[in-house]
Amino acid sequence: MSSKESMMEESVFVQLSKREKEAIDERMSRYDFMLQQVTDAMIIVKDDGAFVDVNDAACRLFRTPKEQLLRKKFQEYLYLVPEHIFQFQKQMLRKFGAYDDELVIRLADGELKHVQLFMRRHEQQQFDLYIIRDISSKKALERERTINETLFKDLFNRAGDGIVIFDGQGRFIDANPSFCASVNVKKEDLFKLSMQTFIPIEYHDLFEQLLLTLKRNGTVSSELPFILGDGMQKLFEVTFTANVHSGFFMAIMRNVTEKRNMEMNLQRSEERFRAIFEQAHEAIIICDDFGNILRANPAASRTFELPLHDLVHANLLQFIDGKNKKVRRVLRQFFRDGQIRDELTFHMPNGETKQLEFTSKKGAINGYHLTIFRNVSERRKMEKQLREQEQKFRSVFNHAMDGIVLIDDKQRIFDANPAACRIFALQKEQLMKKSLHTFIASNDLNKFHMWLRNEEEEKEFALIDGEGKKKIVELSFKPNIIEHVGLMMVRDMTEKKEMEEQLRKSDTLNVVGQLAAGIAHEIRNPMTALKGFIQLLQGSIGNDCEQYDMYFHVIMSELKRIESIITEFLVLAKPQAIHYERGDVVKIMQETVDLLSVQATMHNIQIEATYEQVPLIYCEPKQLKQVFINILKNAIEVMPNGGTITVSVSRVEEGIRIAIRDEGSGIPKEKIKKLGEPFYTTKERGTGLGLMVSYKIIEEHDGRIDVESEVGVGTTFYITLPITNDMQERDIVQ
């Protein structure tokens, strides 16, 4: 074959291939068009159920775009189909090449659909074709038809209205229990009678006319009086229907006697309701089960920011957020309980948000739902402001430095802040059971009641707290901050008073020091002269001295007493260089006891001492010894009839404690706090300087002196000294 012939043959072949391809493309286009126009969903799936191709109807059925649907498997929609059922269907398909069934699929949004599934197997290509037809509506109709048939029978027997079936002459064919009860006749007796039996004679013509209209139009309604089995006459509303059960007629009867009697009252009630409805300040809306607004008053138009004619054609649900959990809960509760009172946020067409309180009653007006709205937006705003103010007040109330209590007209405490609880030394629950006047000291009680009545400025009172401790408080009172509620401010002045007392003592001590320097200087010079001249006088008398020895002894002892007082003055007045060193308190106390034991024995007094091993401390031993001597001498002097002085040195948590206890007459409580003040003493010939010096020395050692006393039993002085202090780092000049 020549090359020219070969080329011609190849050209013919190419032209044939193009025509065949065009024909195939045209056929595929027709098939694709047919596939997309089919109303049933068509799906090609692999053996594992994965989608290979789908038509538009499948996308509409599954409500998913094609590109997303091709990434899914058919099993994903078989939520309600047991796995073994689906596997059985696939086995039937493999065995017979085709299988049809009905099943339920669940879409991605949760909706369920009843579908008819036609499964076809393509053996060469190894894929399955699923044709799916949506039969949800068909199923719903079948179910509704079955329900209607059942309901008719049930309705006939259970209906509250009377239902009778009669022939063209009015003879009874059947009647339901309600009709028999309404005419007061048994059913078996009813079949011997006719409709005309119960209708008064004067209404027989009307009944005949109704039958003619019934035969002509198939239905007619009217009101007819019926004479009951007991002779009473009642008015019935009757609806006649023709061609029921092989040409018989059916009448549905309702006793409207009371209805007609009440119509006038209802009409008047309607007029009153209309007046209230139109003039009410609250928004009133009547709507159906779906929220369609059927009627609204002018106040509702103002509340919902819509003209009345627009509001009546609106839906109540468009003003609320249907996705809100509270909204869904309120709707469920309303339809469950038939009524509800609650509050929701409503969104107005103009963009405004309102908080509306509403009361809804299901079926209140002719089966429709009545809702009354009240705009509480301003009230809620005010409540929010009040809550914020309450929070601010509560914050100030709880964090105030002074105590604050709220009391009623009878002084009963019903609220207190933490500071007040600390002042009264009680928990809040305990404090709220008390009356305020129960804490006022008895000697201040009359003054307190008078102060409350006169509404004076703040004043100080003695207060006994929950632990029995006495405190000085400054009270200020504001009555009726709200009705029957007064506010009492309580300021603890105890520490301030103690500081003022300490300042007074300090000022007194300073004055004493200044006076002491002058007095000691002025007295010491004449004292020296007196002592010298008395000694000269005593020497000049010579042999007659013995008869005057007693006088000289008294004079010299008194001069020595004056000299000791001057020495104590000088301790306060004259600065002295004091060097602190490490000392043993036990040793210092032992030396002091040994020093005074002879004097104690002379007064028939025993000193019993017990010592624990205590660490060394930095101190001025001579000054500590002076303190111990002063307190022990006082103990000896207050026991003129003898007795026992108990001394102990022990280790405590705060440091070292020295206790000196006597068996004297004791000191009253009101005098204990004055101990250590200049010139204050409980002894007849005392000056008070000894204890004042002792308090000063212990204070300089960073310690303290506590006194416990019981009248008629004795007194105990507790001296507490710290183990560690900074005395070793300083030399003090005092």
Side-chain angles (χ1 to χ4, degrees), residues 101-113:
D101 202 351
E102 290 183 3
L103 48 79
V104 178
I105 63 173
R106 190 178 76 165
L107 304 184
D109 60 3
E111 183 180 350
L112 302 179
K113 283 186 175 292

Side-chain angles (χ1 to χ4, degrees), residues 18-31:
K18 287 183 178 179
R19 283 196 296 271
E20 288 178 359
K21 182 178 183 303
E22 290 174 355
I24 292 172
D25 290 343
E26 183 180 356
R27 190 180 308 145
M28 290 297 295
S29 177
R30 288 198 301 270
Y31 289 161

Side-chain angles (χ1 to χ4, degrees), residues 118-378:
F118 303 94
M119 307 171 70
R120 299 295 182 268
R121 179 70 176 171
H122 194 292
E123 292 296 340
Q124 287 88 357
Q125 298 296 328
Q126 295 295 314
F127 64 79
D128 299 331
L129 173 64
Y130 291 175
I131 302 172
I132 304 175
R133 181 172 299 159
D134 188 355
I135 58 172
S136 300
S137 300
K138 176 184 175 183
K139 286 292 184 181
L141 290 173
E142 290 176 355
R143 184 168 60 253
E144 185 176 353
R145 184 172 60 253
T146 303
I147 291 173
N148 286 340
E149 292 175 355
T150 305
L151 284 177
F152 177 78
K153 295 178 182 178
D154 190 60
L155 178 64
F156 183 80
N157 292 317
R158 295 177 181 271
D161 295 333
I163 303 175
V164 295
I165 298 173
F166 59 94
D167 60 15
Q169 288 72 41
R171 290 173 298 195
F172 290 106
I173 304 301
D174 200 359
N176 71 343
S178 293
F179 178 79
C180 298
S182 63
V183 296
N184 199 18
V185 176
K186 294 181 179 180
K187 188 173 182 178
E188 53 269 21
D189 298 333
L190 199 62
F191 296 127
K192 305 172 186 177
L193 307 173
S194 65
M195 290 283 285
Q196 292 86 337
T197 307
F198 297 94
I199 299 173
I201 297 176
E202 60 270 23
Y203 286 92
H204 281 194
D205 291 341
L206 175 60
F207 179 69
E208 293 298 330
Q209 293 176 9
L210 291 174
L211 285 180
L212 291 174
T213 306
L214 175 62
K215 293 174 182 178
R216 183 174 60 251
N217 299 333
T219 181
V220 67
S221 297
S222 183
E223 290 183 358
L224 284 172
F226 274 68
I227 300 172
L228 310 185
D230 56 5
M232 291 183 63
Q233 181 173 306
K234 289 190 177 182
L235 187 64
F236 284 83
E237 184 180 70
V238 186
T239 299
F240 297 98
T241 305
N243 300 321
V244 176
H245 292 292
S246 303
F248 294 140
F249 304 108
M250 182 176 73
I252 300 176
M253 305 173 57
R254 178 173 295 172
N255 187 349
V256 295
T257 307
E258 294 183 4
K259 176 183 176 182
R260 294 294 174 259
N261 292 336
M262 294 175 63
E263 278 184 348
M264 293 301 296
N265 293 332
L266 290 174
Q267 185 177 357
R268 287 193 293 269
S269 299
E270 171 65 20
E271 291 173 356
R272 288 195 296 268
F273 170 76
R274 185 179 294 108
I276 295 172
F277 185 81
E278 297 295 333
Q279 302 300 324
H281 294 290
E282 287 82 11
I284 303 175
I285 284 178
I286 299 172
C287 63
D288 61 16
D289 287 339
F290 304 100
N292 298 313
I293 299 174
L294 308 176
R295 194 172 174 185
N297 68 344
S301 175
R302 294 190 297 271
T303 299
F304 287 88
E305 308 290 345
L306 275 178
L308 193 57
H309 64 276
D310 291 339
L311 182 60
V312 170
H313 292 88
N315 190 293
L316 189 59
L317 300 179
Q318 75 188 52
F319 298 97
I320 55 179
D321 182 6
K323 296 180 180 179
N324 185 277
K325 291 183 179 179
K326 183 177 179 181
V327 171
R328 295 201 297 268
R329 177 185 61 78
V330 166
L331 291 174
R332 286 196 304 270
Q333 184 178 347
F334 171 70
F335 284 104
R336 184 184 69 241
D337 300 339
Q339 60 184 9
I340 192 171
R341 181 186 180 93
D342 213 313
E343 185 178 306
L344 287 174
T345 301
F346 287 76
H347 305 279
M348 305 302 149
N350 61 359
E352 184 181 357
T353 298
K354 291 184 180 181
Q355 198 74 15
L356 301 183
E357 183 182 75
F358 59 89
T359 301
S360 294
K361 179 70 175 177
K362 185 178 179 183
I365 306 294
N366 297 328
Y368 297 113
H369 316 316
L370 175 71
T371 304
I372 302 174
F373 296 88
R374 181 180 291 109
N375 189 350
V376 295
S377 301
E378 289 298 320

Side-chain angles (χ1 to χ4, degrees), residues 432-599:
M432 289 171 66
K433 300 175 183 177
K434 305 286 186 181
S435 295
L436 186 62
H437 64 264
T438 59
F439 295 98
I440 304 300
S442 56
N443 53 339
D444 277 359
L445 198 54
N446 292 333
K447 182 175 69 171
F448 172 73
H449 288 302
M450 187 178 298
W451 173 75
L452 273 184
R453 286 194 298 271
N454 296 334
E455 298 183 9
E456 300 176 4
E457 297 293 330
E458 60 271 5
K459 199 164 187 177
E460 292 181 2
F461 294 94
L463 177 147
I464 308 299
D465 66 15
E467 296 176 350
K469 296 180 181 178
K470 185 176 181 181
K471 294 179 178 178
I472 304 299
V473 295
E474 182 182 79
L475 302 181
S476 59
F477 181 58
K478 183 67 176 176
N480 293 321
I481 56 168
I482 54 177
E483 189 175 3
H484 304 300
V485 176
L487 184 143
M488 182 77 72
M489 300 290 293
V490 185
R491 178 173 296 172
D492 191 351
M493 305 294 290
T494 307
E495 187 175 345
K496 180 182 176 184
K497 290 297 179 183
E498 290 176 352
M499 291 178 65
E500 289 176 353
E501 185 68 17
Q502 291 176 1
L503 183 60
R504 186 184 63 80
K505 289 181 180 180
S506 177
D507 290 341
T508 305
L509 190 62
N510 186 40
V511 172
V512 169
Q514 293 176 3
L515 290 174
I519 293 172
H521 177 73
E522 294 298 329
I523 294 178
R524 179 160 284 182
N525 289 335
M527 276 288 300
T528 305
L530 283 174
K531 286 177 66 178
F533 280 109
I534 287 172
Q535 289 174 353
L536 289 174
L537 181 60
Q538 186 178 6
S540 65
I541 292 176
N543 296 330
D544 296 330
C545 181
E546 292 182 2
Q547 60 180 341
Y548 300 109
D549 277 347
M550 182 182 67
Y551 303 130
F552 285 119
H553 177 72
V554 171
I555 292 171
M556 291 302 293
S557 64
E558 292 302 318
L559 288 175
K560 286 181 180 179
R561 173 171 170 74
I562 293 172
E563 189 173 8
S564 68
I565 293 173
I566 292 172
T567 302
E568 289 179 343
F569 265 127
L570 289 176
V571 170
L572 300 174
K574 182 180 178 182
Q576 302 176 31
I578 299 176
H579 177 68
Y580 285 87
E581 61 185 37
R582 191 180 294 275
D584 187 349
V585 176
V586 172
K587 183 178 179 183
I588 297 170
M589 178 57 77
Q590 286 176 335
E591 293 175 352
T592 306
V593 170
D594 292 342
L595 179 65
L596 296 177
S597 60
V598 176
Q599 183 178 350

Side-chain angles (χ1 to χ4, degrees), residues 598-614:
V598 176
Q599 183 178 350
T601 303
M602 291 174 61
H603 289 80
N604 195 26
I605 293 173
Q606 300 293 323
I607 300 178
E608 295 181 355
T610 57
Y611 307 109
E612 292 183 7
Q613 187 174 356
V614 296

